[in-house]
Amino acid sequence: MKTGDPKHMRCLIVIPCLNEEKHIEPLIAKLSGALDELDARIVVADGGSTDRTREIVGEIAKADPRVLLLDNPKRLQSAAINLAVETFGNDYDYLIRIDAHGDYPADYCQRLVEEADATEADSVVVAMRTQGFSAFQKATAVAQNSKLGNGGSKHREGAKGHWADHGHHALMRVPAFRAVGGYDETFSHNEDAELDYRLRKAGYRIWLTDKTTMTYYPRASIPTLFRQYLGYGRGRARNILKHRSMPSVRQMLPLAVVPIFVGAFLAILNWIAVIPIGLWAFACLAYGFWIALGQKNPYGPLAAISAMVMHFAWSMGFWLEVLKFRGRKVVS
């Protein structure tokens, strides 16, 4: 039901975090406008930080009782959100999820509440733009902001506001979140897409807004980027296996990377076996040079390398999870 005034809606802003001493204080300061303009509370769900994160949040909480520190013994982001809603959800209409390692406009929460009120959506999701600082981060950002790295995903590229199947999680009505059971805490990655699947199946509506967005900072090295996308691939496979759903076309293309890489070893029998992996590498590098020349972006060629790491790791994670699942079925 529309209120016409965001102040009438109570908001639980949850920040899952672990060792974020460099980011947590300015992030909470950025969200202070929401505390003043909305009926809101900020809960920092900490997974056992060993730096000064807990001390910093404790000092802020002493000065402002609307900021609270909550222990998250399970350490996962999904568990952090679930615990915060379980602990405080009875008093709030909306849940707003904030990533500790992202950046947000000062009016981010206010715009989300306005969109939820205007559209009567059960979940408001946002587009996510990636920005880097080091050369590798900038190249990875170029890849993740392009079809080379995101496959044309609307919540990566941004689009006019529309009803969607999935997007970067931002705001959700607490009753809808609870009705579908919250996040599945067995998912360390892709828990947002898995929850969106259950929301849609239950008849709830997801709105991808164009009124605000968030900025994400990518991994700063090849090993950390590889591990991240390995987890994403595993998470996507678990989602598909859990719900017996089919991957989209844009997901099926990178799925082929590891199989064609393995197939390339058959070149000892027939050189033709190396063609598929060669075409994939050529396509990535060609797209990177097109970015460099067509968009006058010097990070294009390096972005192609980042994209290849992402494709390969995502594909490997997916197939490892599928093999693990089949192994469990055989044993059982």
Side-chain angles (χ1 to χ4, degrees):
M1 181 177 179
K2 295 182 181 181
T3 67
D5 184 358
K7 288 185 178 181
H8 291 168
M9 306 306 289
R10 297 163 299 172
C11 300
L12 179 64
I13 303 170
V14 184
I15 309 174
C17 77
L18 177 67
N19 294 328
E20 294 288 354
E21 64 179 5
K22 293 181 180 179
H23 302 99
I24 196 65
E25 186 170 9
L27 178 59
I28 293 175
K30 182 70 73 71
L31 298 171
S32 61
L35 292 177
D36 296 331
E37 298 176 33
L38 303 173
D39 184 359
R41 164 179 281 177
I42 294 175
V43 174
V44 179
D46 183 77
S49 294
T50 55
D51 61 3
R52 293 189 62 251
T53 298
R54 297 175 63 86
E55 179 183 344
I56 293 169
V57 176
E59 291 171 355
I60 296 172
K62 287 180 182 177
D64 189 341
R66 296 172 299 179
V67 178
L68 294 174
L69 177 66
L70 179 67
D71 289 325
N72 171 28
K74 294 183 180 178
R75 299 171 70 90
L76 293 174
Q77 290 188 345
S78 54
I81 304 293
N82 286 349
L83 181 61
V85 172
E86 179 184 348
T87 306
F88 303 106
N90 289 342
D91 299 326
Y92 295 92
D93 302 293
Y94 292 132
L95 157 69
I96 297 178
R97 173 175 173 168
I98 299 292
D99 294 328
H101 211 55
D103 194 17
Y104 300 84
D107 61 352
Y108 181 74
C109 296
Q110 296 91 312
R111 298 290 81 78
L112 292 175
V113 173
E114 288 175 359
E115 280 286 80
D117 187 59
T119 62
E120 299 185 335
D122 301 294
S123 174
V124 178
V125 296
V126 298
M128 180 171 67
R129 298 296 292 176
T130 309
Q131 179 180 324
F133 295 102
S134 67
F136 183 77
Q137 273 189 316
K138 289 179 179 178
T140 302
V142 170
Q144 292 177 341
N145 289 331
S146 73
K147 286 184 173 61
L148 181 64
N150 64 44
S153 172
K154 295 297 183 184
H155 79 276
R156 283 286 193 171
E157 292 191 325
K160 290 289 185 181
H162 64 278
W163 297 106
D165 291 334
H166 174 54
H168 186 76
H169 278 191
L171 174 147
M172 203 174 300
R173 295 185 189 274
V174 171
F177 182 84
R178 283 179 153 174
V180 298
Y183 288 111
D184 184 339
E185 295 179 13
T186 65
F187 281 66
S188 61
H189 296 77
N190 207 236
E191 77 282 353
D192 51 352
E194 193 279 328
L195 178 56
D196 283 344
Y197 182 91
R198 285 185 281 121
L199 282 171
R200 298 194 316 275
K201 291 286 285 186
Y204 293 106
R205 300 188 302 164
I206 301 170
W207 178 258
L208 176 60
T209 181
D210 60 352
K211 297 297 190 297
T212 190
T213 186
M214 63 90 63
T215 301
Y216 169 77
Y217 301 108
R219 298 297 190 267
S221 68
I222 287 178
T224 54
L225 181 66
F226 184 91
R227 287 194 296 271
Q228 180 187 30
Y229 273 78
L230 189 75
Y232 285 163
R234 284 186 176 275
R236 175 54 64 181
R238 293 199 66 199
N239 196 345
I240 289 171
L241 293 168
K242 176 179 178 178
H243 296 292
R244 300 295 190 268
S245 58
M246 286 293 293
S248 65
V249 174
R250 69 179 180 84
Q251 292 164 352
M252 292 178 73
L253 291 174
L255 279 183
V257 172
V258 164
I260 63 175
F261 176 83
V262 173
F265 287 98
L266 295 176
I268 59 175
L269 301 176
N270 191 324
W271 66 270
I272 293 177
V274 81
I275 292 178
I277 197 71
L279 289 174
W280 165 70
F282 176 80
C284 290
L285 292 170
Y287 198 102
F289 278 100
W290 177 84
I291 290 174
L293 298 175
Q295 300 180 13
K296 295 182 170 60
N297 189 321
Y299 293 100
L302 187 54
I305 303 301
S306 293
M308 291 167 71
V309 171
M310 290 152 53
H311 293 170
F312 188 88
W314 195 93
S315 181
M316 177 177 284
F318 186 97
W319 291 114
L320 286 174
E321 191 64 30
V322 169
L323 292 172
K324 179 180 176 183
F325 176 80
R326 290 188 63 83
R328 286 198 300 265
K329 287 187 68 175
V330 170
V331 170
S332 62

